[in-house]
Amino acid sequence: MTLLFGAIVALPAVVTALAAWLDICAGKVDWPCVDERPSTAVAAWSWLVLPVVIVLALLLWPLPSQARDDGRYANSALKPWFDSLRSGKGPCCSDADGYALSDVDWESSGGHYRVRIPVSNDPADKAVMTWVDVPDDAVITEPNRAGKTMVWPIWGYQGPGIRCFMPGSMT
């Protein structure tokens, strides 16, 4: 996500530089220094490189992924309840997949919670865990019908965050 943010910030400068380069190669404007004008062979070769670079950039560009309901819990009696869960940060199941936490992966102190979740949503990073403070408005206060401590993490360009958190049975 950081790469995407950086690309968006740099996009105007890249577009301006590319437009200037294309104008120079097309002969619409002169090179800043006449002595540095490339040969005809170099100018022709650069027209072949540009499309390849653009195609490679598009193929390697990271695409966003969205959470989805794959239907695996469609017949669960708890599905409507899970779909209705909301925290102060919004609907829990709207764009984040929740999962149950082991007792060692969450803690409570002074009425605040902390959870241990992966540093990113990338499958390669699933084993790299970090502790994240749960914002007070992400805590679900209604009774927990599932009985398990659950978290709905979200990952953005600033790192992992918590959309919703529901402590265990709350008894």
Side-chain angles (χ1 to χ4, degrees):
M1 212 53 162
T2 304
L3 178 65
L4 180 60
F5 180 72
I8 291 171
V9 170
L11 188 61
V14 170
V15 168
T16 302
L18 182 60
W21 180 77
L22 289 173
D23 286 344
I24 290 169
C25 289
K28 293 180 182 176
V29 295
D30 286 332
W31 281 84
C33 298
V34 176
D35 295 338
E36 296 178 8
R37 182 182 300 264
S39 68
T40 307
V42 171
W45 177 80
S46 64
W47 280 105
L48 296 174
V49 172
L50 182 62
V52 172
V53 170
I54 290 172
V55 168
L56 284 175
L58 290 174
L59 288 174
L60 297 175
W61 195 265
L63 298 174
S65 62
Q66 298 293 323
R68 63 187 175 355
D69 182 0
D70 60 8
R72 136 179 57 168
Y73 303 110
N75 296 325
S76 169
L78 292 178
K79 183 175 181 359
W81 175 73
F82 273 113
D83 288 343
S84 72
L85 287 177
R86 296 182 64 83
S87 73
K89 294 188 163 286
C92 297
C93 293
S94 65
D95 62 355
D97 288 331
Y99 57 88
L101 290 172
S102 301
D103 287 340
V104 297
D105 290 331
W106 71 283
E107 60 188 25
S108 173
S109 177
H112 301 284
Y113 298 97
R114 220 167 66 122
V115 296
R116 197 165 70 113
I117 60 172
V119 296
S120 82
N121 201 22
D122 186 341
D125 292 335
K126 289 294 184 189
V128 181
M129 307 291 273
T130 186
W131 284 97
V132 177
D133 292 323
V134 176
D136 291 338
D137 60 345
V139 177
I140 299 171
T141 56
E142 72 176 75
N144 183 341
R145 294 185 193 175
K148 300 175 181 177
T149 301
M150 298 196 67
V151 65
W152 285 261
I154 52 176
W155 291 273
Y157 67 92
Q158 294 179 326
I162 306 300
R163 167 63 66 89
C164 298
F165 173 76
M166 185 169 44
S169 60
M170 297 179 67
T171 57

